[in-house]
Amino acid sequence: MKNILITGGAGFIGSHTAVELTVAGYGVVIADNLSNSDTTSLEGIEKITGRKILFYKADCCDKKQMQKIFGENKIDGAIHFAAFKAVGESVQKPLMYYYNNLTSFTTLLEVMAESGGGNVVFSSSATVYGQADVLPVTEETPRKTAASPYGNTKQVCEDILQDAVRAHSDLQGIILRYFNPIGAHPSALIGESPRGIPNNLVPFITQTAAGIRRELQIFGNDYNTPDGTALRDYIDIMDLAAAHVSALKRMTDHQSAGTCEVFNVGTGNPLSVMELVVKFQEVNKVNLKYSITGRREGDVEAIWADTSLANKVLGWKARRSIEETLANAWAWEKKLRRII
Ligand code: UDP
């Protein structure tokens, strides 16, 4: 059995990926400092998979802790999620973001290189494209200067991985650029639970529907889009998780150490904020209070993925419908808030 270290595995994307990897027959080791998550997600993973998860409460910036994990386990590969992710906070606290996001990744790569190498998946973001001139974006679309320190850490970490695999011939990498991950596991045992006021659209919607937030603010309806609200590519969290299994398989099947491929992970279908709000209400038969306010600083007008490379090379495709995804998101929120 191949063992994969998931850094940040107690978080939203990490926990769903841990489920998919376990189901696919991988051994999963999770390292997480629980700075933005808690162990409830680990219990959820164990309930869904019926398997015990090996968990280390560890900070990836701490080399000794990482060496301990690699010393105690045979790790064949790693998926790196452990990072701060709030765009606004990164503008307020750039040094904290640069320190954490860059140190955790370089430390992981250093320890891997010292322990005989392996396969690495880095969780990047469509944010690296900024507002692209041509849509949909392919992996060849030029990256734009990052609009925030957070976005810049994604770009720099991409570069770090590219350089690291070039220099360490036993390392191999894949960069996955996520579009907008939403939803929850259909069991409602794991899902997204942001601390404080959610920044992202779908958790804000589910919390508003649950009565925790008074109303949703739609940030701008004066964009140059069909209904004036911004366009995004919303991808189901389980589809996204499955892309990591495909990425690891790709690296095992096509051993070519010293290389690092890049893939967009989205659906290829643009959806406007307003369309998503309407769909959420229809699918879940709830009324959502919302108002239109001004644009949010730093938001792009429209972005969606060309996914043909991932479809062809990884043999991966997003399968879940937006309806299914929004139903799962609401089921998770209801379970969390004990709404019958
Ligand atoms: N959005 C919104 N109200 C909110 C949160 C988000 O209108 O309370 C909009 C946001 O302006 C963007 C889209 O929803 O157009 C997706 O935002 P999100 O923060 O989820 O992801 P992003 O694309 O910014 O990474």
Side-chain angles (χ1 to χ4, degrees), residues 180 199-201 216-219 230 232 234 273 296 299:
N180 288 59
N199 287 309
N200 295 114
L201 180 60
L216 168 75
Q217 297 190 332
I218 294 179
F219 299 141
R232 293 288 183 279
Y234 297 94
V273 174
R296 182 171 67 179
D299 272 351

Side-chain angles (χ1 to χ4, degrees), residues 150-262:
Y150 159 77
N152 205 20
T153 67
K154 289 294 172 196
Q155 296 201 359
V156 176
C157 282
E158 287 193 352
D159 298 343
I160 289 173
L161 184 56
Q162 294 282 6
D163 290 342
V165 299
R166 230 171 273 134
H168 298 274
S169 57
D170 45 11
L171 281 178
Q172 190 177 186
I174 283 188
I175 291 165
L176 297 180
R177 291 181 179 153
Y178 311 148
F179 282 68
N180 288 59
I182 60 166
H185 189 270
S187 65
L189 288 166
I190 52 173
E192 189 171 13
S193 43
R195 288 192 178 159
I197 303 171
N199 287 309
N200 295 114
L201 180 60
V202 170
F204 206 103
I205 289 177
T206 56
Q207 289 196 9
T208 307
I212 297 160
R213 310 279 155 213
R214 203 173 56 80
E215 70 170 12
L216 168 75
Q217 297 190 332
I218 294 179
F219 299 141
N221 68 348
D222 57 351
Y223 285 108
N224 185 21
T225 60
D227 67 14
T229 64
L231 297 176
R232 293 288 183 279
D233 183 337
Y234 297 94
I235 168 129
D236 185 279
I237 188 66
M238 293 309 294
D239 281 335
L240 181 69
H244 296 80
V245 178
S246 304
L248 285 172
K249 196 167 170 318
R250 160 88 182 154
M251 287 191 277
T252 314
D253 292 351
H254 298 263
Q255 275 294 340
S256 106
T259 64
C260 181
E261 294 175 303
V262 183

